[in-house]
Amino acid sequence: GAGVSQSPSNKVTEKGKDVELRCDPISGHTALYWYRQSLGQGLEFLIYFQGNSAPDKSGLPSDRFSAERTGGSVSTLTIQRTQQEDSAVYLCASSLAGVIGNTIYFGEGSWLTVV
Amino acid sequence: QKEVEQDPGPLSVPEGAIVSLNCTYSNSAFQYFMWYRQYSRKGPELLMYTYSSGNKEDGRFTAQVDKSSKYISLFIRDSQPSDSATYLCAMRSQAGTALIFGKGTTLSVSS
């Protein structure tokens, strides 16, 4: 597809389980971002990838959160031992890197509910 | 104080009204300013992008940046029911890697 693709679109998991969220960025986009959006909150930055490396992980809220990117394309965000406060929409975005002010395109998000 | 402040609303206006949406920020290093529109259960989509201070117009939308006051605005003229959405301001610095977002303002335009 032409846009940023995320899966699953919806996920309900039990507290304490691990979850993996997948992002397939726009072809050719070397920059990839993960954001979290909780009810009534703005977008909270989690992590930024340039290629396969993550020069900015400053937004990851705890060591239960990790992310990787392979082949400069698909990224996986993993949340271990999920807690109820992890319930949110996890948004992935991508952009062309190296161009100041380039447009960041978002996917439709993975809606995570921890019960 | 959060880096970016935005009144969450909700804001309700009749069709045809002029809408003014605003954000304030504290980081003087921000140079790139954006407005995103987000429909319910969708990802944000870029609406307007402005570099540094000044105005930018695109159809019914006008974005303004006042760096001296650390204040940005989005104006929507002749608002339509299809404009009903959440509007998020976002900004970044020259060296920043991520956009910093406001909480978003929910707008409802009634016909």
Side-chain angles (χ1 to χ4, degrees), chain B residues 25-45:
Chain B
Y25 62 95
S26 58
N27 188 345
S28 58
F30 287 147
Q31 293 193 38
Y32 303 92
F33 304 92
M34 281 141 265
W35 286 94
Y36 280 79
R37 178 174 61 194
Q38 186 176 25
Y39 291 113
S40 180
R41 295 194 72 87
K42 297 290 187 182
E45 57 179 335

Side-chain angles (χ1 to χ4, degrees), chain A residues 9-10 33 35 37 40-45 48 55-56 91 99-109 111, chain B residues 2 8 32 34 36 38 40-46 49 51 86 88 92 94 97-104:
Chain A
S9 54
N10 288 282
Y33 310 80
Y35 282 83
Q37 186 174 31
Q41 301 296 312
L43 275 71
E44 175 189 6
F45 168 73
Y48 158 67
D56 190 349
L91 290 158
V99 179
I100 296 295
N102 55 70
T103 302
I104 295 176
Y105 297 89
F106 282 85
E108 298 204 339
W111 293 67
Chain B
K2 290 182 73 69
Y32 303 92
M34 281 141 265
Y36 280 79
Q38 186 176 25
S40 180
R41 295 194 72 87
K42 297 290 187 182
E45 57 179 335
L46 181 66
Y49 160 69
Y51 171 69
T86 297
L88 298 142
R92 60 178 279 186
Q94 179 83 5
T97 54
L99 290 178
I100 308 301
F101 282 84
K103 287 190 177 182

Side-chain angles (χ1 to χ4, degrees), chain B residues 15-71:
Chain B
E15 183 175 358
I18 296 174
V19 176
S20 173
L21 304 167
N22 311 292
C23 288
T24 59
Y25 62 95
S26 58
N27 188 345
S28 58
F30 287 147
Q31 293 193 38
Y32 303 92
F33 304 92
M34 281 141 265
W35 286 94
Y36 280 79
R37 178 174 61 194
Q38 186 176 25
Y39 291 113
S40 180
R41 295 194 72 87
K42 297 290 187 182
E45 57 179 335
L46 181 66
L47 199 58
M48 298 286 284
Y49 160 69
T50 308
Y51 171 69
S52 194
S53 286
N55 295 358
K56 185 172 185 177
E57 186 173 326
D58 183 3
R60 296 184 295 110
F61 298 89
T62 299
Q64 289 185 351
V65 175
D66 182 349
K67 291 191 70 180
S68 62
S69 301
K70 297 191 180 68
Y71 187 88

Side-chain angles (χ1 to χ4, degrees), chain A residues 3 7 10-13 19 23 25 34 50 61 64 72 76 90 103 110 115:
Chain A
S7 62
N10 288 282
K11 176 73 176 179
V12 179
T13 190
V19 295
C23 173
W34 283 98
Q50 176 55 44
R64 296 186 297 105
T76 303
Y90 290 83
T103 302
S110 290
V115 297

